[in-house]
Amino acid sequence: MEKIKIAIVGNGDRASVYGGYVKEEREDAEIVAVVDPNPFKREEGKKKYNLPDDMLFESIEEFIKRGKIADAVFNCTMDNLHVSTSIPLMKAGYDILLEKPITADKNELFELKKCAEECGVTLM
């Protein structure tokens, strides 16, 4: 069985919990990339998940340019970045686990739902 490939976007505290679970508890999944503007956080991800340098990304745009290199994304960015980071990821074909709160704005929530439906991806 091929492993589910997951990219972490926003390598903070919650991402380390989700990623740690995958690394320690799941034989059917692996973390294959880290996206974070902070070089320290990218280096942390590199060491924790044994990633090569070409799987560390400073931005969503840089990550998406590589094509679809994972099956899903853990979006653990700051709350105010959830919508602006999730939409391009969904348009690139990624299923997303979006940490809470998804958004505090009802219109943004409907925008995310619509985008997920139009792109045929799962947003959870």
Side-chain angles (χ1 to χ4, degrees), residues 16-52:
S16 82
V17 172
Y18 298 138
Y21 172 74
V22 168
K23 181 181 177 188
E24 302 299 327
E25 304 292 333
R26 300 301 302 232
E27 294 180 14
D28 61 345
E30 63 182 327
I31 304 301
V32 297
V34 168
V35 182
D36 199 293
N38 183 326
F40 175 77
K41 293 295 186 178
R42 290 194 305 273
E43 187 64 26
E44 257 184 2
K46 176 182 177 175
K47 290 177 183 173
K48 183 172 184 174
Y49 307 113
N50 195 30
L51 300 175

PDB file of all heavy atoms in Angstrom, residues 16-52:
ATOM      1  N   SER A  16       2.894  20.564  14.723  1.00  0.00           N
ATOM      2  CA  SER A  16       3.804  19.567  15.304  1.00  0.00           C
ATOM      3  C   SER A  16       3.012  18.430  15.961  1.00  0.00           C
ATOM      4  O   SER A  16       3.464  17.288  15.973  1.00  0.00           O
ATOM      5  CB  SER A  16       4.776  20.208  16.287  1.00  0.00           C
ATOM      6  OG  SER A  16       4.216  20.388  17.546  1.00  0.00           O
ATOM      7  N   VAL A  17       1.820  18.736  16.455  1.00  0.00           N
ATOM      8  CA  VAL A  17       0.967  17.684  17.031  1.00  0.00           C
ATOM      9  C   VAL A  17       0.452  16.773  15.917  1.00  0.00           C
ATOM     10  O   VAL A  17       0.581  15.549  15.987  1.00  0.00           O
ATOM     11  CB  VAL A  17      -0.210  18.282  17.830  1.00  0.00           C
ATOM     12  CG1 VAL A  17      -1.189  17.198  18.254  1.00  0.00           C
ATOM     13  CG2 VAL A  17       0.295  19.042  19.045  1.00  0.00           C
ATOM     14  N   TYR A  18      -0.103  17.373  14.862  1.00  0.00           N
ATOM     15  CA  TYR A  18      -0.621  16.572  13.745  1.00  0.00           C
ATOM     16  C   TYR A  18       0.502  15.801  13.067  1.00  0.00           C
ATOM     17  O   TYR A  18       0.384  14.607  12.790  1.00  0.00           O
ATOM     18  CB  TYR A  18      -1.317  17.453  12.709  1.00  0.00           C
ATOM     19  CG  TYR A  18      -2.530  18.194  13.207  1.00  0.00           C
ATOM     20  CD1 TYR A  18      -2.748  19.513  12.844  1.00  0.00           C
ATOM     21  CD2 TYR A  18      -3.474  17.584  14.026  1.00  0.00           C
ATOM     22  CE1 TYR A  18      -3.867  20.206  13.277  1.00  0.00           C
ATOM     23  CE2 TYR A  18      -4.591  18.271  14.466  1.00  0.00           C
ATOM     24  CZ  TYR A  18      -4.778  19.582  14.095  1.00  0.00           C
ATOM     25  OH  TYR A  18      -5.882  20.267  14.520  1.00  0.00           O
ATOM     26  N   GLY A  19       1.597  16.492  12.779  1.00  0.00           N
ATOM     27  CA  GLY A  19       2.731  15.840  12.119  1.00  0.00           C
ATOM     28  C   GLY A  19       3.367  14.772  12.986  1.00  0.00           C
ATOM     29  O   GLY A  19       3.768  13.714  12.494  1.00  0.00           O
ATOM     30  N   GLY A  20       3.451  15.047  14.285  1.00  0.00           N
ATOM     31  CA  GLY A  20       4.004  14.055  15.214  1.00  0.00           C
ATOM     32  C   GLY A  20       3.154  12.800  15.258  1.00  0.00           C
ATOM     33  O   GLY A  20       3.680  11.679  15.309  1.00  0.00           O
ATOM     34  N   TYR A  21       1.847  12.977  15.218  1.00  0.00           N
ATOM     35  CA  TYR A  21       0.940  11.822  15.181  1.00  0.00           C
ATOM     36  C   TYR A  21       1.192  10.984  13.931  1.00  0.00           C
ATOM     37  O   TYR A  21       1.301   9.763  14.005  1.00  0.00           O
ATOM     38  CB  TYR A  21      -0.517  12.284  15.240  1.00  0.00           C
ATOM     39  CG  TYR A  21      -1.500  11.167  15.002  1.00  0.00           C
ATOM     40  CD1 TYR A  21      -1.744  10.210  15.990  1.00  0.00           C
ATOM     41  CD2 TYR A  21      -2.172  11.049  13.793  1.00  0.00           C
ATOM     42  CE1 TYR A  21      -2.634   9.166  15.765  1.00  0.00           C
ATOM     43  CE2 TYR A  21      -3.056  10.017  13.562  1.00  0.00           C
ATOM     44  CZ  TYR A  21      -3.288   9.072  14.549  1.00  0.00           C
ATOM     45  OH  TYR A  21      -4.160   8.038  14.316  1.00  0.00           O
ATOM     46  N   VAL A  22       1.305  11.656  12.798  1.00  0.00           N
ATOM     47  CA  VAL A  22       1.560  10.929  11.548  1.00  0.00           C
ATOM     48  C   VAL A  22       2.891  10.188  11.647  1.00  0.00           C
ATOM     49  O   VAL A  22       2.982   8.998  11.323  1.00  0.00           O
ATOM     50  CB  VAL A  22       1.554  11.891  10.332  1.00  0.00           C
ATOM     51  CG1 VAL A  22       2.095  11.200   9.088  1.00  0.00           C
ATOM     52  CG2 VAL A  22       0.152  12.415  10.089  1.00  0.00           C
ATOM     53  N   LYS A  23       3.915  10.880  12.099  1.00  0.00           N
ATOM     54  CA  LYS A  23       5.254  10.279  12.177  1.00  0.00           C
ATOM     55  C   LYS A  23       5.311   9.104  13.149  1.00  0.00           C
ATOM     56  O   LYS A  23       5.919   8.072  12.847  1.00  0.00           O
ATOM     57  CB  LYS A  23       6.260  11.348  12.597  1.00  0.00           C
ATOM     58  CG  LYS A  23       7.677  10.827  12.675  1.00  0.00           C
ATOM     59  CD  LYS A  23       8.633  11.904  13.115  1.00  0.00           C
ATOM     60  CE  LYS A  23      10.016  11.302  13.236  1.00  0.00           C
ATOM     61  NZ  LYS A  23      10.964  12.215  13.841  1.00  0.00           N
ATOM     62  N   GLU A  24       4.694   9.241  14.298  1.00  0.00           N
ATOM     63  CA  GLU A  24       4.821   8.229  15.357  1.00  0.00           C
ATOM     64  C   GLU A  24       3.760   7.136  15.317  1.00  0.00           C
ATOM     65  O   GLU A  24       4.008   6.026  15.777  1.00  0.00           O
ATOM     66  CB  GLU A  24       4.778   8.919  16.730  1.00  0.00           C
ATOM     67  CG  GLU A  24       5.853   9.965  16.939  1.00  0.00           C
ATOM     68  CD  GLU A  24       7.263   9.401  16.862  1.00  0.00           C
ATOM     69  OE1 GLU A  24       7.482   8.240  17.252  1.00  0.00           O
ATOM     70  OE2 GLU A  24       8.151  10.137  16.380  1.00  0.00           O
ATOM     71  N   GLU A  25       2.582   7.442  14.795  1.00  0.00           N
ATOM     72  CA  GLU A  25       1.463   6.508  14.925  1.00  0.00           C
ATOM     73  C   GLU A  25       0.929   5.937  13.618  1.00  0.00           C
ATOM     74  O   GLU A  25       0.163   4.987  13.649  1.00  0.00           O
ATOM     75  CB  GLU A  25       0.303   7.196  15.659  1.00  0.00           C
ATOM     76  CG  GLU A  25       0.669   7.761  17.025  1.00  0.00           C
ATOM     77  CD  GLU A  25       0.992   6.685  18.049  1.00  0.00           C
ATOM     78  OE1 GLU A  25       0.490   5.548  17.925  1.00  0.00           O
ATOM     79  OE2 GLU A  25       1.764   6.989  18.980  1.00  0.00           O
ATOM     80  N   ARG A  26       1.274   6.529  12.499  1.00  0.00           N
ATOM     81  CA  ARG A  26       0.669   6.106  11.234  1.00  0.00           C
ATOM     82  C   ARG A  26       1.706   5.476  10.310  1.00  0.00           C
ATOM     83  O   ARG A  26       2.674   6.111   9.937  1.00  0.00           O
ATOM     84  CB  ARG A  26       0.034   7.295  10.517  1.00  0.00           C
ATOM     85  CG  ARG A  26      -1.055   7.996  11.294  1.00  0.00           C
ATOM     86  CD  ARG A  26      -2.185   7.090  11.656  1.00  0.00           C
ATOM     87  NE  ARG A  26      -2.795   6.484  10.508  1.00  0.00           N
ATOM     88  CZ  ARG A  26      -4.074   6.495  10.236  1.00  0.00           C
ATOM     89  NH1 ARG A  26      -4.910   7.102  11.058  1.00  0.00           N
ATOM     90  NH2 ARG A  26      -4.540   5.890   9.170  1.00  0.00           N
ATOM     91  N   GLU A  27       1.467   4.245   9.942  1.00  0.00           N
ATOM     92  CA  GLU A  27       2.332   3.586   8.968  1.00  0.00           C
ATOM     93  C   GLU A  27       1.842   3.817   7.550  1.00  0.00           C
ATOM     94  O   GLU A  27       2.567   3.556   6.590  1.00  0.00           O
ATOM     95  CB  GLU A  27       2.402   2.089   9.265  1.00  0.00           C
ATOM     96  CG  GLU A  27       3.094   1.786  10.580  1.00  0.00           C
ATOM     97  CD  GLU A  27       3.168   0.300  10.869  1.00  0.00           C
ATOM     98  OE1 GLU A  27       2.936  -0.512   9.962  1.00  0.00           O
ATOM     99  OE2 GLU A  27       3.472  -0.047  12.021  1.00  0.00           O
ATOM    100  N   ASP A  28       0.620   4.335   7.416  1.00  0.00           N
ATOM    101  CA  ASP A  28       0.020   4.526   6.100  1.00  0.00           C
ATOM    102  C   ASP A  28       0.125   5.959   5.590  1.00  0.00           C
ATOM    103  O   ASP A  28      -0.439   6.308   4.557  1.00  0.00           O
ATOM    104  CB  ASP A  28      -1.447   4.111   6.125  1.00  0.00           C
ATOM    105  CG  ASP A  28      -2.281   4.930   7.102  1.00  0.00           C
ATOM    106  OD1 ASP A  28      -1.709   5.618   7.965  1.00  0.00           O
ATOM    107  OD2 ASP A  28      -3.517   4.874   7.010  1.00  0.00           O
ATOM    108  N   ALA A  29       0.872   6.822   6.305  1.00  0.00           N
ATOM    109  CA  ALA A  29       0.995   8.220   5.911  1.00  0.00           C
ATOM    110  C   ALA A  29       2.377   8.740   6.277  1.00  0.00           C
ATOM    111  O   ALA A  29       3.045   8.184   7.155  1.00  0.00           O
ATOM    112  CB  ALA A  29      -0.082   9.057   6.598  1.00  0.00           C
ATOM    113  N   GLU A  30       2.772   9.814   5.583  1.00  0.00           N
ATOM    114  CA  GLU A  30       4.063  10.430   5.882  1.00  0.00           C
ATOM    115  C   GLU A  30       4.013  11.925   5.555  1.00  0.00           C
ATOM    116  O   GLU A  30       3.271  12.352   4.675  1.00  0.00           O
ATOM    117  CB  GLU A  30       5.186   9.774   5.088  1.00  0.00           C
ATOM    118  CG  GLU A  30       5.062   9.929   3.594  1.00  0.00           C
ATOM    119  CD  GLU A  30       6.148   9.224   2.814  1.00  0.00           C
ATOM    120  OE1 GLU A  30       7.287   9.138   3.291  1.00  0.00           O
ATOM    121  OE2 GLU A  30       5.841   8.745   1.695  1.00  0.00           O
ATOM    122  N   ILE A  31       4.801  12.702   6.284  1.00  0.00           N
ATOM    123  CA  ILE A  31       4.948  14.122   6.000  1.00  0.00           C
ATOM    124  C   ILE A  31       6.033  14.239   4.939  1.00  0.00           C
ATOM    125  O   ILE A  31       7.145  13.737   5.116  1.00  0.00           O
ATOM    126  CB  ILE A  31       5.345  14.911   7.265  1.00  0.00           C
ATOM    127  CG1 ILE A  31       4.327  14.690   8.408  1.00  0.00           C
ATOM    128  CG2 ILE A  31       5.521  16.394   6.935  1.00  0.00           C
ATOM    129  CD1 ILE A  31       2.910  15.096   8.102  1.00  0.00           C
ATOM    130  N   VAL A  32       5.692  14.900   3.817  1.00  0.00           N
ATOM    131  CA  VAL A  32       6.636  14.975   2.700  1.00  0.00           C
ATOM    132  C   VAL A  32       7.126  16.396   2.403  1.00  0.00           C
ATOM    133  O   VAL A  32       8.061  16.562   1.618  1.00  0.00           O
ATOM    134  CB  VAL A  32       6.042  14.354   1.415  1.00  0.00           C
ATOM    135  CG1 VAL A  32       5.759  12.875   1.620  1.00  0.00           C
ATOM    136  CG2 VAL A  32       4.805  15.106   0.955  1.00  0.00           C
ATOM    137  N   ALA A  33       6.505  17.406   3.018  1.00  0.00           N
ATOM    138  CA  ALA A  33       6.916  18.787   2.750  1.00  0.00           C
ATOM    139  C   ALA A  33       6.470  19.695   3.893  1.00  0.00           C
ATOM    140  O   ALA A  33       5.504  19.392   4.598  1.00  0.00           O
ATOM    141  CB  ALA A  33       6.306  19.286   1.441  1.00  0.00           C
ATOM    142  N   VAL A  34       7.195  20.797   4.044  1.00  0.00           N
ATOM    143  CA  VAL A  34       6.842  21.829   5.017  1.00  0.00           C
ATOM    144  C   VAL A  34       6.877  23.179   4.310  1.00  0.00           C
ATOM    145  O   VAL A  34       7.838  23.491   3.601  1.00  0.00           O
ATOM    146  CB  VAL A  34       7.800  21.833   6.223  1.00  0.00           C
ATOM    147  CG1 VAL A  34       7.606  23.075   7.084  1.00  0.00           C
ATOM    148  CG2 VAL A  34       7.611  20.582   7.070  1.00  0.00           C
ATOM    149  N   VAL A  35       5.812  23.955   4.516  1.00  0.00           N
ATOM    150  CA  VAL A  35       5.708  25.310   3.981  1.00  0.00           C
ATOM    151  C   VAL A  35       5.614  26.262   5.162  1.00  0.00           C
ATOM    152  O   VAL A  35       4.678  26.157   5.966  1.00  0.00           O
ATOM    153  CB  VAL A  35       4.455  25.468   3.091  1.00  0.00           C
ATOM    154  CG1 VAL A  35       4.393  26.875   2.503  1.00  0.00           C
ATOM    155  CG2 VAL A  35       4.391  24.403   2.019  1.00  0.00           C
ATOM    156  N   ASP A  36       6.575  27.162   5.281  1.00  0.00           N
ATOM    157  CA  ASP A  36       6.542  28.143   6.368  1.00  0.00           C
ATOM    158  C   ASP A  36       7.479  29.299   5.998  1.00  0.00           C
ATOM    159  O   ASP A  36       8.590  29.051   5.523  1.00  0.00           O
ATOM    160  CB  ASP A  36       6.992  27.516   7.689  1.00  0.00           C
ATOM    161  CG  ASP A  36       6.551  28.324   8.891  1.00  0.00           C
ATOM    162  OD1 ASP A  36       7.063  29.460   9.065  1.00  0.00           O
ATOM    163  OD2 ASP A  36       5.697  27.848   9.645  1.00  0.00           O
ATOM    164  N   PRO A  37       7.046  30.541   6.220  1.00  0.00           N
ATOM    165  CA  PRO A  37       7.913  31.671   5.892  1.00  0.00           C
ATOM    166  C   PRO A  37       9.118  31.802   6.825  1.00  0.00           C
ATOM    167  O   PRO A  37      10.109  32.442   6.493  1.00  0.00           O
ATOM    168  CB  PRO A  37       6.990  32.887   6.008  1.00  0.00           C
ATOM    169  CG  PRO A  37       5.889  32.450   6.909  1.00  0.00           C
ATOM    170  CD  PRO A  37       5.730  30.977   6.685  1.00  0.00           C
ATOM    171  N   ASN A  38       9.048  31.165   7.979  1.00  0.00           N
ATOM    172  CA  ASN A  38      10.112  31.256   8.984  1.00  0.00           C
ATOM    173  C   ASN A  38      11.172  30.184   8.713  1.00  0.00           C
ATOM    174  O   ASN A  38      10.880  28.987   8.793  1.00  0.00           O
ATOM    175  CB  ASN A  38       9.494  31.075  10.370  1.00  0.00           C
ATOM    176  CG  ASN A  38      10.490  31.211  11.494  1.00  0.00           C
ATOM    177  OD1 ASN A  38      11.646  30.843  11.381  1.00  0.00           O
ATOM    178  ND2 ASN A  38      10.018  31.717  12.620  1.00  0.00           N
ATOM    179  N   PRO A  39      12.417  30.578   8.420  1.00  0.00           N
ATOM    180  CA  PRO A  39      13.460  29.589   8.121  1.00  0.00           C
ATOM    181  C   PRO A  39      13.722  28.630   9.282  1.00  0.00           C
ATOM    182  O   PRO A  39      14.038  27.456   9.072  1.00  0.00           O
ATOM    183  CB  PRO A  39      14.697  30.422   7.798  1.00  0.00           C
ATOM    184  CG  PRO A  39      14.404  31.806   8.232  1.00  0.00           C
ATOM    185  CD  PRO A  39      12.912  31.947   8.336  1.00  0.00           C
ATOM    186  N   PHE A  40      13.562  29.102  10.517  1.00  0.00           N
ATOM    187  CA  PHE A  40      13.743  28.230  11.677  1.00  0.00           C
ATOM    188  C   PHE A  40      12.696  27.120  11.685  1.00  0.00           C
ATOM    189  O   PHE A  40      13.006  25.962  11.944  1.00  0.00           O
ATOM    190  CB  PHE A  40      13.671  29.059  12.970  1.00  0.00           C
ATOM    191  CG  PHE A  40      13.720  28.224  14.213  1.00  0.00           C
ATOM    192  CD1 PHE A  40      14.919  27.689  14.665  1.00  0.00           C
ATOM    193  CD2 PHE A  40      12.564  27.957  14.931  1.00  0.00           C
ATOM    194  CE1 PHE A  40      14.970  26.900  15.804  1.00  0.00           C
ATOM    195  CE2 PHE A  40      12.603  27.172  16.071  1.00  0.00           C
ATOM    196  CZ  PHE A  40      13.813  26.641  16.517  1.00  0.00           C
ATOM    197  N   LYS A  41      11.452  27.472  11.368  1.00  0.00           N
ATOM    198  CA  LYS A  41      10.372  26.481  11.346  1.00  0.00           C
ATOM    199  C   LYS A  41      10.554  25.484  10.203  1.00  0.00           C
ATOM    200  O   LYS A  41      10.236  24.300  10.342  1.00  0.00           O
ATOM    201  CB  LYS A  41       9.000  27.164  11.243  1.00  0.00           C
ATOM    202  CG  LYS A  41       8.630  27.962  12.475  1.00  0.00           C
ATOM    203  CD  LYS A  41       8.473  27.045  13.647  1.00  0.00           C
ATOM    204  CE  LYS A  41       7.961  27.773  14.865  1.00  0.00           C
ATOM    205  NZ  LYS A  41       7.773  26.865  15.996  1.00  0.00           N
ATOM    206  N   ARG A  42      11.061  25.965   9.070  1.00  0.00           N
ATOM    207  CA  ARG A  42      11.348  25.033   7.965  1.00  0.00           C
ATOM    208  C   ARG A  42      12.449  24.064   8.369  1.00  0.00           C
ATOM    209  O   ARG A  42      12.366  22.864   8.110  1.00  0.00           O
ATOM    210  CB  ARG A  42      11.747  25.805   6.700  1.00  0.00           C
ATOM    211  CG  ARG A  42      10.607  26.561   6.069  1.00  0.00           C
ATOM    212  CD  ARG A  42      10.928  27.034   4.666  1.00  0.00           C
ATOM    213  NE  ARG A  42      12.124  27.835   4.548  1.00  0.00           N
ATOM    214  CZ  ARG A  42      12.187  29.154   4.705  1.00  0.00           C
ATOM    215  NH1 ARG A  42      11.083  29.839   5.012  1.00  0.00           N
ATOM    216  NH2 ARG A  42      13.327  29.812   4.542  1.00  0.00           N
ATOM    217  N   GLU A  43      13.481  24.568   9.017  1.00  0.00           N
ATOM    218  CA  GLU A  43      14.596  23.713   9.458  1.00  0.00           C
ATOM    219  C   GLU A  43      14.120  22.697  10.494  1.00  0.00           C
ATOM    220  O   GLU A  43      14.540  21.538  10.474  1.00  0.00           O
ATOM    221  CB  GLU A  43      15.731  24.575  10.013  1.00  0.00           C
ATOM    222  CG  GLU A  43      16.991  23.808  10.347  1.00  0.00           C
ATOM    223  CD  GLU A  43      17.668  23.163   9.148  1.00  0.00           C
ATOM    224  OE1 GLU A  43      17.509  23.633   8.003  1.00  0.00           O
ATOM    225  OE2 GLU A  43      18.366  22.148   9.352  1.00  0.00           O
ATOM    226  N   GLU A  44      13.232  23.137  11.396  1.00  0.00           N
ATOM    227  CA  GLU A  44      12.640  22.204  12.373  1.00  0.00           C
ATOM    228  C   GLU A  44      11.926  21.058  11.656  1.00  0.00           C
ATOM    229  O   GLU A  44      12.069  19.896  12.022  1.00  0.00           O
ATOM    230  CB  GLU A  44      11.608  22.949  13.245  1.00  0.00           C
ATOM    231  CG  GLU A  44      12.060  23.302  14.594  1.00  0.00           C
ATOM    232  CD  GLU A  44      10.927  23.937  15.410  1.00  0.00           C
ATOM    233  OE1 GLU A  44       9.773  24.076  14.941  1.00  0.00           O
ATOM    234  OE2 GLU A  44      11.215  24.296  16.551  1.00  0.00           O
ATOM    235  N   GLY A  45      11.127  21.413  10.652  1.00  0.00           N
ATOM    236  CA  GLY A  45      10.407  20.406   9.879  1.00  0.00           C
ATOM    237  C   GLY A  45      11.356  19.476   9.147  1.00  0.00           C
ATOM    238  O   GLY A  45      11.143  18.260   9.091  1.00  0.00           O
ATOM    239  N   LYS A  46      12.407  20.038   8.587  1.00  0.00           N
ATOM    240  CA  LYS A  46      13.411  19.234   7.876  1.00  0.00           C
ATOM    241  C   LYS A  46      13.976  18.151   8.786  1.00  0.00           C
ATOM    242  O   LYS A  46      14.063  16.985   8.399  1.00  0.00           O
ATOM    243  CB  LYS A  46      14.530  20.147   7.368  1.00  0.00           C
ATOM    244  CG  LYS A  46      15.664  19.403   6.702  1.00  0.00           C
ATOM    245  CD  LYS A  46      16.766  20.362   6.277  1.00  0.00           C
ATOM    246  CE  LYS A  46      17.927  19.591   5.691  1.00  0.00           C
ATOM    247  NZ  LYS A  46      18.970  20.477   5.166  1.00  0.00           N
ATOM    248  N   LYS A  47      14.354  18.549   9.993  1.00  0.00           N
ATOM    249  CA  LYS A  47      14.939  17.602  10.944  1.00  0.00           C
ATOM    250  C   LYS A  47      13.913  16.595  11.456  1.00  0.00           C
ATOM    251  O   LYS A  47      14.178  15.402  11.514  1.00  0.00           O
ATOM    252  CB  LYS A  47      15.571  18.358  12.112  1.00  0.00           C
ATOM    253  CG  LYS A  47      16.806  19.120  11.722  1.00  0.00           C
ATOM    254  CD  LYS A  47      17.350  19.920  12.883  1.00  0.00           C
ATOM    255  CE  LYS A  47      18.553  20.752  12.439  1.00  0.00           C
ATOM    256  NZ  LYS A  47      18.989  21.659  13.500  1.00  0.00           N
ATOM    257  N   LYS A  48      12.744  17.086  11.836  1.00  0.00           N
ATOM    258  CA  LYS A  48      11.724  16.211  12.430  1.00  0.00           C
ATOM    259  C   LYS A  48      11.231  15.146  11.459  1.00  0.00           C
ATOM    260  O   LYS A  48      11.032  13.996  11.838  1.00  0.00           O
ATOM    261  CB  LYS A  48      10.537  17.041  12.929  1.00  0.00           C
ATOM    262  CG  LYS A  48       9.476  16.213  13.631  1.00  0.00           C
ATOM    263  CD  LYS A  48       8.416  17.086  14.268  1.00  0.00           C
ATOM    264  CE  LYS A  48       7.423  16.265  15.047  1.00  0.00           C
ATOM    265  NZ  LYS A  48       6.485  17.105  15.789  1.00  0.00           N
ATOM    266  N   TYR A  49      11.050  15.536  10.181  1.00  0.00           N
ATOM    267  CA  TYR A  49      10.463  14.614   9.206  1.00  0.00           C
ATOM    268  C   TYR A  49      11.481  14.086   8.196  1.00  0.00           C
ATOM    269  O   TYR A  49      11.110  13.431   7.235  1.00  0.00           O
ATOM    270  CB  TYR A  49       9.290  15.293   8.484  1.00  0.00           C
ATOM    271  CG  TYR A  49       8.287  15.857   9.456  1.00  0.00           C
ATOM    272  CD1 TYR A  49       8.095  17.228   9.571  1.00  0.00           C
ATOM    273  CD2 TYR A  49       7.564  15.020  10.303  1.00  0.00           C
ATOM    274  CE1 TYR A  49       7.197  17.755  10.484  1.00  0.00           C
ATOM    275  CE2 TYR A  49       6.655  15.544  11.223  1.00  0.00           C
ATOM    276  CZ  TYR A  49       6.489  16.906  11.304  1.00  0.00           C
ATOM    277  OH  TYR A  49       5.596  17.419  12.220  1.00  0.00           O
ATOM    278  N   ASN A  50      12.765  14.411   8.434  1.00  0.00           N
ATOM    279  CA  ASN A  50      13.843  13.932   7.573  1.00  0.00           C
ATOM    280  C   ASN A  50      13.591  14.306   6.103  1.00  0.00           C
ATOM    281  O   ASN A  50      13.587  13.451   5.217  1.00  0.00           O
ATOM    282  CB  ASN A  50      14.033  12.425   7.737  1.00  0.00           C
ATOM    283  CG  ASN A  50      15.335  11.949   7.155  1.00  0.00           C
ATOM    284  OD1 ASN A  50      16.313  12.685   7.127  1.00  0.00           O
ATOM    285  ND2 ASN A  50      15.342  10.722   6.667  1.00  0.00           N
ATOM    286  N   LEU A  51      13.369  15.595   5.869  1.00  0.00           N
ATOM    287  CA  LEU A  51      13.021  16.087   4.538  1.00  0.00           C
ATOM    288  C   LEU A  51      14.244  16.644   3.816  1.00  0.00           C
ATOM    289  O   LEU A  51      15.093  17.289   4.431  1.00  0.00           O
ATOM    290  CB  LEU A  51      11.968  17.196   4.641  1.00  0.00           C
ATOM    291  CG  LEU A  51      10.644  16.816   5.285  1.00  0.00           C
ATOM    292  CD1 LEU A  51       9.765  18.048   5.433  1.00  0.00           C
ATOM    293  CD2 LEU A  51       9.947  15.743   4.480  1.00  0.00           C
ATOM    294  N   PRO A  52      14.305  16.461   2.518  1.00  0.00           N
ATOM    295  CA  PRO A  52      15.365  17.106   1.740  1.00  0.00           C
ATOM    296  C   PRO A  52      15.059  18.597   1.581  1.00  0.00           C
ATOM    297  O   PRO A  52      13.909  19.028   1.712  1.00  0.00           O
ATOM    298  CB  PRO A  52      15.316  16.382   0.392  1.00  0.00           C
ATOM    299  CG  PRO A  52      13.918  15.878   0.286  1.00  0.00           C
ATOM    300  CD  PRO A  52      13.450  15.596   1.689  1.00  0.00           C
TER     301      PRO A  52
END
